[in-house]
Amino acid sequence: MTQQPQTYPKPAWLENARFYEVYPQSFADSNGDGIGDIPGITGKLDYIAALGCNALWINPCFDSPFKDAGYDVRDYTQVAPRYGTNDDLIALFEAAHRRGMHVLLDLVPGHTSEEHPWFQASSRPNPAERTIVASSDGPSRKENTGDPPTAPSEEGAVGEADWGRDQPTNVSNRYIWTDSWIAGGDGLPFIGGETERDGTYILNFFKCQPALNYGFAHPHQAWQKPALGPDALATCDAMIDVMRFWLARGADGFRVDMADSLVKHDDAGKPYTIRTWQYMFSKIRPEFPEAAFVAEWGRPNESMQAGFDMDFYLDWRWDGHPNGYNLLLRNTDTPMEHEGDSSYFNADSGASIAPFLAEYLPQLADCRAAGGHFNLITCNHDTLRTAQRLAERELKVAYGMLLTMPGCPFLYYGDEIGMRYRALPTKEGGYVRTGSRTPMQWASDAPNLGFSTAPADALYLPTDPADDAPTVTGEASRPHSLFNWIRSVLALRAAQPALAAGAGFSVVAAPADGRAFAYLRTAAPNDDSGDGTAAGPLLIAMNPGRHSETVGLPDTLSPDAVMLLGLGEPAVGDGQLTLSPQSFAVLG
């Protein structure tokens, strides 16, 4: 019989969270070495807050050889020296909290670097020697207090070397090893001939990323361990300790990389991976009830069962077949070109919103039934930016929608100024993604566009050399810029209870043969407008196309509704809203 999993209240702060994603090596360099760092992020918190965001997601900042830009972790409990120290990260948490902001770190639970001490010990030929005494298997083995496992050193750097000195742990099965040096991976990618251990090891992604062992759904080889068996649970416990380490020091939660990929050969619907997360959340959530967890999963019917608070609408396009999110912004096989792009927000595509809604609405319903949030992103570190293909007006309409939909919006650094994707050689395993990870463009009249004082050839990646490269100072001073439009939309979202993450959502107009899209957002019954009066519903409507569209005003909208935000020339009259070409409107 399947046991009903324990459910936990969602962190209340998520209801009004507006996230800003920071790629740390490219955001702000405080010490002039050409690489962004933690103090650089701290120094820009006021900028992020003034933009309208009150939460951060920071891509991996832990010690790493950086063969996959930090997604190959060498020490989960140590900030990478190029970014600063553990003290710097703790100071960032504290500075954010003073401003009423929250910080999510990026957790990579599925694999480590091949240089991680766990893997180095696990790869030894003698099983008796596969023991570590300095690991993240420390405090919870003795007592589950939630307290930091050890006091910071004088430098404030508390790493895995400070953990579990009296807790030797055998890590023979911390990773997935076969039982012979010539064995295949049973359909999974594997590496042989790299270690002295008589076995090959399973990979996630690159050769440098050995997969951690969360077991197999249906083991049928002697070397395959069962999901939720002793070895898999030991891996879970080690990852729980990593979460505990940072939550105890002020982190507000984690975005979890490839959260659906833990258990190998899992069944459709990921039941064993779901149960694995349920186990981990049963241990960590009682200690940190306000910590938030967002899954890189993309299927909220599964991730919500697993116990996550939020999921992302990921951008996928397989063999020319777009998912719902791709239909909005990147529905093309030539993403550097405007022509031929069938995205809804391409003014010339003629596309309807209906195909997107056909996929989105059932997933939103799944998420909301579980009390969670299904989030939309402007872009992220794995996705090509859109500014090289969509014009500023198209992006304004697009971001108007993305920032007013249900869930918590995520704004990728630089999207607020229309930073462009650049075709660049691969850097730290970025490959085609490298061009979306270039330095933030702060000021046109400063060296390296204000990102760093280092020589240009010392930068992590080159800045945009174009004469018209957008910058924060330039776009902030232009009244009708994309930057100022995003500030206006985020300010409206912050002020309106009807735009909270969990506020009501219903489609008003989505013609199959038209370009208009309109929806109502409705505040929860106990929300008010701040002055004690009931908060009324908002009508959000848009027309990304080249011809005018009309939308009938719903009866639930107040007859005294006014235009709270407008782009183009939307007009109300005779019970309908007329949307001029490439327009956007919020009535309430």
Side-chain angles (χ1 to χ4, degrees), residues 48-62:
I48 295 168
L51 182 62
C53 293
N54 59 3
L56 283 75
W57 158 28
I58 301 176
N59 292 114
C61 57
F62 309 129

Side-chain angles (χ1 to χ4, degrees), residues 5-8 10 254-262 266 268-279 281 285 292-314 362-375:
Q6 176 69 46
T7 58
Y8 303 93
K10 305 301 181 187
F254 298 93
R255 174 268 190 184
V256 180
D257 180 67
M258 294 300 294
D260 65 336
S261 66
L262 300 189
D266 206 348
K270 301 286 186 174
Y272 288 89
T273 298
I274 287 171
R275 289 173 57 198
T276 297
W277 279 112
Q278 289 171 349
Y279 170 81
F281 287 139
R285 282 198 181 275
F293 296 86
V294 54
E296 186 188 29
W297 199 305
R299 297 181 302 281
N301 61 314
E302 297 171 7
S303 59
M304 295 300 108
Q305 291 181 63
F308 283 91
D309 302 302
M310 304 185 286
D311 199 347
F312 284 106
Y313 207 145
L314 299 175
Q363 296 186 81
L364 177 64
D366 287 337
C367 211
R368 293 198 147 187
H373 300 305
F374 195 28
N375 304 324

Side-chain angles (χ1 to χ4, degrees), residues 155-239:
E155 295 79 352
V158 182
E160 289 175 272
D162 298 297
W163 286 37
R165 298 184 192 281
D166 57 345
Q167 297 293 325
T169 301
N170 190 288
V171 292
S172 285
N173 295 314
R174 181 61 53 84
Y175 298 84
I176 306 174
W177 291 89
T178 68
D179 52 9
S180 169
W181 63 280
I182 57 172
D186 194 20
L188 298 169
F190 68 97
I191 289 286
E194 288 285 319
T195 74
E196 295 180 347
R197 179 168 173 164
D198 184 13
T200 58
Y201 56 91
I202 303 302
L203 296 176
N204 284 348
F205 308 110
F206 297 158
K207 175 259 176 189
C208 62
Q209 293 165 315
L212 286 164
N213 179 23
Y214 294 90
F216 284 72
H218 305 287
H220 65 274
Q221 302 279 356
W223 51 269
Q224 295 176 355
K225 308 301 180 184
L228 298 161
D231 296 305
L233 291 180
T235 302
C236 291
D237 290 340
M239 200 53 57

